[in-house]
Amino acid sequence: MPALGCCVDASVSPPLGYAFSWDSSLPAPELFSSGVPPATNAAAVTTGSHWSTDLSSALYRVDGWGAPYFSVNSSGNISVRPHGTDTLPHQEIDLLKVVKKASDPKNLGGLGLQMPLVVRFPDVLKNRLETLQSAFDMAVNSQGYEAHYQGVYPVKCNQDRFVVEDIVKFGSPYRFGLEAGSKPELLLAMNCLSKGSADALLVCNGFKDIEYISLALVARKLLLNTVIVLEQEEELDLVIDISRKMAVRPVIGLRAKLRTKHSGHFGSTSGEKGKFGLTTTQILRVVKKLDESGMLDCLQLLHFHIGSQIPTTELLADGVGEATQIYSELVRLGAGMKFIDIGGGLGIDYDGSKSSNSDVSVGYGIEEYASAVVQAVLYVCDRKGVKHPVICSESGRAIVSHHSILIFEAVSASTTHVSTQPSSGGLQSLVETLNEDARADYRNLSAAAVRGEYDTCLLYSDQLKQRCVEQFKDGSLDIEQLAAVDSICDCVSKAIGVADPVRTYHVNLSVFTSIPDFWGFSQLFPIVPIHRLDEKPTMRGILSDLTCDSDGKVDKFIGGESSLPLHEIGSNAGGDGGRYYLGMFLGGAYEEALGGLHNLFGGPSVVRVLQSDSPHSFAVTRSVPGPSCADVLRAMQFEPELMFETLKHRAEEFLEQGEGEGEGEDKGLAFASLTSSLAQSFHNMPYLVSSSSCCFTAEASASASASANANNGGYYYYSEDNAADCATEEDEIWSY
């Protein structure tokens, strides 16, 4: 019986076809007459040996989704252009340098932060807000619109204190306001707008009770420009009653359910059967009740929402036109209308395709969006003879998505090496243990190989493997024999060219915590290596996170891809010590707020980075380590201090029972070392730490952990004897 194995060198493609090596007692088989089987789409990223940063930019579509804020620089790293198209060459920021500054230990000049890491660029946030304002100003001026635009940021997109405060500060010259959808969001909006423009709107959306409405009226008393938007008809009675008791004249808005909607995932909350808003019948009842209460002048704002990620300006104009008809009717009925709030919907091009037929792209830019809105409102108002209203929008996704980048590390990757082939004698012994059906499959496989019929080879290879698995389950094959069969079948697949070349890259991340929208409904984000882009990526991979959950992976990518072009891990070509960093872009909206604590992995570390005139063009103005194990335990109602005392007592009992080594002073040192290690475990972050870059290894436990570290690629859980070195002052600035 021939000893089947692969004779194809994995590094050199055969010129004519594929062949198998056989027992020397048999004649060598002919090469496959049909030539090389078609290569799979993941067999190679591209042909040719030449590679450039331009090719990487095209491969990852950086110029599509990244413009004007992200590009690939001459060093092969992702470059951030914090001022968009106004960024000067010397102002561009090398993202890898930011990551190294944040993650390098302090004794090497870094900040000692642990991965994963969110990098925020307030300059990008400012540019996004100014770009939106400029687009509407241009549309207003060019079309002769007789009112103005003033935006409102919906804080649900990202409630981080510094994000909201930045928006209020950057938007103050433009009367930019905030939108709240809950009581805590209302409180933070009240606090932040106390330092903003007096004309900025505070729009109160969401379902409301007595407390919510009372708080909104308190905001009105504090001279904040507060508008209570009715989501349900029943809320009106509460507004009328509480406002009279508090002696506050409210400003009221209402949310209309439009007939216009789009059919994508993000349009599910719009239309007549949407979650929010009032029908035309309900609107008329609200108008009547306000009139009877002498408060019709309080109704000043109409709000609607077609849905997020509006795909085309045609759909947008249709919805805005319908809403403006309702606005005009409210004016006719005597309401004191001043504002039309078009809600959210300004989309983000996540994949760079500029497509109007996708949930992850849109077929327009900000200027086209603003022009379509102004034109639609202008057209209806002029036909109806209605004074032009102030136009508001709640474009949260479009404002905050670009400014935040999630950085994480790929710590290892699965291999695609085929196991060593059994010897001729070993193979003969293996075949003798197979049942008759399996031996028949093996004989047919050998004959098909001689004839060069690789499709038939695959058929019998699969059948052989399955029959052997059944024998293993029955106990008639041992694990070594099963492994030998697996090796033979894998070799066949590799020789024929159908072996799966897609690797699994293990990343130091929780998908559930940091990319919850991907897990929840397969929302795609651009994911790109942030360095080594001057090298050709020779692998393709999917990303598997740290959680003990089969859903903890990213296996869909922009461009309709089921794998991502990646580089070999461990190469030091980029001068980064062999570490391999990936970035998820355009995730500044929703991801941080929606992330959970699955497997008790908390949020990432965060740095805030401003463009500066320092040698490397940036300054880190804030640095926050991610939540520790104690922090995430507290979130689950545990008390880490009591937990530590319990374990400390357990350690003391352990040593008293004589289980520990040594006596007297030695036991005291052992107890101190053990309890110190336990205490530090509560202060550590849940994620992995690289021994190649971290100052967090406790010397007392170095020898005990050496063998463990050798088996996991140099990664271990953060165990540091100088944890204070990782803490950073909130307002300290490091220029780099």
Side-chain angles (χ1 to χ4, degrees):
M1 189 63 60
L4 185 60
C6 287
C7 68
V8 177
D9 188 343
S11 63
V12 181
S13 298
L16 297 176
Y18 295 88
F20 295 101
S21 64
W22 299 84
D23 212 329
S24 57
S25 62
L26 296 174
E30 297 293 328
L31 295 176
F32 286 139
S33 60
S34 56
V36 180
T40 62
N41 61 355
V45 174
T46 188
T47 58
S49 58
H50 173 70
W51 196 255
S52 69
T53 56
D54 288 339
L55 290 174
S56 282
S57 183
L59 178 66
Y60 295 106
R61 303 186 177 202
V62 176
D63 292 339
W65 56 261
Y69 302 105
F70 308 108
S71 62
V72 180
N73 63 27
S74 59
S75 299
N77 303 330
I78 291 291
S79 182
V80 181
R81 308 179 73 221
H83 310 298
T85 55
D86 295 330
T87 305
L88 301 175
H90 73 277
Q91 295 175 324
E92 293 192 14
I93 300 171
D94 189 315
L95 186 57
L96 180 62
K97 292 180 179 179
V98 174
V99 172
K100 289 179 68 65
K101 178 65 179 177
S103 62
D104 280 354
K106 281 197 167 184
N107 60 359
L108 296 180
L111 303 178
L113 292 178
Q114 192 176 343
M115 292 288 176
L117 175 72
V118 164
V119 184
R120 293 204 180 105
F121 291 94
D123 292 317
V124 173
L125 192 65
K126 183 173 186 287
N127 186 266
R128 292 298 293 175
L129 190 151
E130 291 176 344
T131 299
L132 178 63
Q133 184 69 43
S134 175
F136 271 99
D137 288 346
M138 183 184 303
V140 164
N141 294 331
S142 64
Q143 297 184 39
Y145 194 80
E146 296 176 357
H148 64 272
Y149 165 81
Q150 60 182 93
V152 173
Y153 170 65
V155 298
K156 67 179 180 180
C157 289
N158 192 324
Q159 299 101 332
D160 179 81
R161 168 191 163 190
F162 296 96
V163 172
V164 179
E165 288 181 350
D166 279 342
I167 288 173
V168 170
K169 179 176 71 174
F170 300 150
S172 184
Y174 314 113
R175 298 166 285 206
F176 221 86
L178 299 175
E179 179 269 346
S182 66
K183 296 172 205 174
E185 286 186 351
L186 178 54
L187 286 167
L188 75 84
M190 291 168 62
N191 173 72
C192 293
L193 284 177
S194 295
K195 302 175 183 178
S197 167
D199 296 323
L201 289 171
L202 200 176
V203 176
C204 300
N205 286 333
F207 295 113
K208 304 171 189 68
D209 61 4
I210 293 175
E211 289 183 352
Y212 189 136
I213 293 170
S214 299
L215 185 59
L217 292 171
V218 167
R220 190 82 193 160
K221 271 194 170 184
L222 297 177
L223 302 181
L224 296 173
N225 195 7
T226 309
V227 182
I228 301 173
V229 177
L230 304 178
E231 302 277 5
Q232 300 179 95
E233 187 178 357
E234 295 79 11
E235 293 170 356
L236 178 59
D237 291 331
L238 289 175
V239 173
I240 293 173
D241 181 54
I242 298 171
S243 64
R244 285 173 175 170
K245 290 178 179 177
M246 294 180 63
V248 178
R249 193 76 173 170
V251 173
I252 299 172
L254 59 84
R255 179 166 175 166
K257 282 186 178 179
L258 302 186
R259 270 69 167 181
T260 305
K261 63 173 294 183
H262 71 79
S263 58
H265 167 81
F266 293 104
S268 60
T269 56
S270 62
E272 290 184 276
K273 296 183 179 180
K275 180 178 178 181
F276 302 105
L278 308 179
T279 65
T280 53
T281 302
Q282 292 173 316
I283 290 172
L284 289 174
R285 287 202 293 262
V286 165
V287 170
K288 181 180 179 182
K289 185 170 288 188
L290 283 172
D291 191 25
E292 291 171 348
S293 302
M295 298 176 65
L296 190 54
D297 62 307
C298 296
L299 180 56
Q300 298 182 13
L301 180 144
L302 176 70
H303 173 47
F304 66 94
H305 180 63
I306 301 172
S308 295
Q309 287 288 109
I310 297 174
T312 66
T313 53
E314 290 79 12
L315 177 62
L316 171 68
D318 190 27
V320 173
E322 180 187 350
T324 310
Q325 293 286 357
I326 297 174
Y327 179 94
S328 300
E329 289 299 299
L330 291 172
V331 172
R332 181 181 65 81
L333 293 171
M337 302 301 293
K338 296 180 181 178
F339 305 94
I340 185 165
D341 181 350
I342 65 174
L346 173 53
I348 294 297
D349 189 5
Y350 288 100
D351 66 2
S353 66
K354 304 294 187 292
S355 170
S356 58
N357 298 311
S358 169
D359 283 338
V360 294
S361 185
V362 291
Y364 56 84
I366 292 181
E367 292 79 9
E368 295 167 281
Y369 175 89
S371 178
V373 169
V374 173
Q375 184 177 10
V377 177
L378 179 71
Y379 177 75
V380 174
C381 287
D382 285 353
R383 283 184 61 197
K384 293 282 188 177
V386 171
K387 182 180 178 181
H388 298 168
V390 174
I391 297 175
C392 308
S393 75
E394 301 176 8
S395 304
R397 185 188 301 267
I399 291 175
V400 299
S401 290
H402 295 75
H403 94 286
S404 179
I405 306 169
L406 173 68
I407 307 295
F408 52 96
E409 187 175 359
V411 298
S412 64
S414 63
T415 61
T416 57
H417 300 302
V418 176
S419 304
T420 303
Q421 295 299 306
S423 64
S424 298
L427 185 57
Q428 184 66 39
S429 299
L430 167 63
V431 172
E432 291 173 357
T433 65
L434 302 180
N435 61 33
E436 184 56 37
D437 289 338
R439 286 199 296 270
D441 287 332
Y442 183 74
R443 287 193 296 269
N444 291 330
L445 170 60
S446 302
V450 172
R451 294 192 302 268
E453 299 172 354
Y454 52 82
D455 287 338
T456 306
C457 282
L458 285 177
L459 173 64
Y460 288 118
S461 174
D462 290 342
Q463 287 185 187
L464 173 63
K465 178 180 283 191
Q466 187 56 45
R467 294 191 201 279
C468 291
V469 169
E470 294 302 321
Q471 280 194 253
F472 177 74
K473 290 179 180 179
D474 292 339
S476 56
L477 278 186
D478 59 32
I479 193 169
E480 291 88 355
Q481 292 168 323
L482 182 64
V485 172
D486 286 340
S487 179
I488 293 170
C489 296
D490 289 345
C491 180
V492 171
S493 297
K494 183 177 181 182
I496 292 174
V498 296
D500 184 7
V502 177
R503 294 189 179 187
T504 298
Y505 279 63
H506 306 287
V507 295
N508 195 11
L509 183 74
S510 165
V511 169
F512 304 92
T513 298
S514 295
I515 323 178
D517 276 349
F518 177 82
W519 169 70
F521 61 95
S522 298
Q523 168 69 41
L524 301 183
F525 297 92
I527 298 178
V528 181
I530 68 167
H531 59 142
R532 296 179 60 184
L533 297 174
D534 54 347
E535 304 174 37
K536 175 182 175 180
T538 57
M539 301 293 150
R540 295 195 73 99
I542 63 171
L543 309 179
S544 177
D545 74 359
L546 295 179
T547 65
C548 301
D549 196 306
S550 58
D551 284 341
K553 63 183 178 181
V554 180
D555 55 3
K556 297 183 182 70
F557 303 90
I558 63 171
E561 297 291 334
S562 58
S563 62
L564 187 68
L566 295 168
H567 304 83
E568 284 272 18
I569 296 178
S571 170
N572 194 27
D576 46 43
R579 304 184 72 174
Y580 192 47
Y581 298 108
L582 302 174
M584 188 201 82
F585 295 79
L586 309 186
Y590 297 109
E591 300 314 289
E592 295 172 49
L594 292 176
L597 290 174
H598 188 37
N599 262 175
L600 297 188
F601 286 105
S605 302
V606 180
V607 290
R608 173 184 160 96
V609 177
L610 288 174
Q611 185 270 320
S612 76
D613 294 329
S614 59
H616 291 286
S617 304
F618 71 87
V620 178
T621 61
R622 182 173 173 81
S623 171
V624 182
S628 67
C629 290
D631 294 331
V632 296
L633 286 167
R634 287 191 190 95
M636 295 292 109
Q637 309 304 312
F638 287 94
E639 298 182 41
E641 294 79 12
L642 295 180
M643 294 170 67
F644 170 70
E645 290 300 324
T646 298
L647 295 173
K648 180 180 176 182
H649 180 66
R650 177 83 172 186
E652 190 172 21
E653 289 180 338
F654 168 77
L655 291 172
E656 287 177 354
Q657 291 171 1
E659 298 294 332
E661 297 180 359
E663 299 292 339
E665 184 177 345
D666 289 341
K667 277 195 172 183
L669 291 173
F671 177 72
S673 175
L674 188 56
T675 55
S676 175
S677 177
L678 284 170
Q680 190 57 55
S681 294
F682 284 99
H683 292 288
N684 297 342
M685 280 182 68
Y687 295 94
L688 305 179
V689 175
S690 171
S691 58
S692 64
S693 65
C694 184
C695 62
F696 305 148
T697 308
E699 292 181 5
S701 62
S703 60
S705 63
S707 60
N709 290 341
N711 293 326
N712 62 11
Y715 280 78
Y716 52 86
Y717 285 94
Y718 165 179
S719 176
E720 181 218 355
D721 58 357
N722 59 336
D725 191 45
C726 209
T728 55
E729 297 181 18
E730 289 190 357
D731 296 321
E732 186 178 356
I733 297 178
W734 302 270
S735 292
Y736 187 54

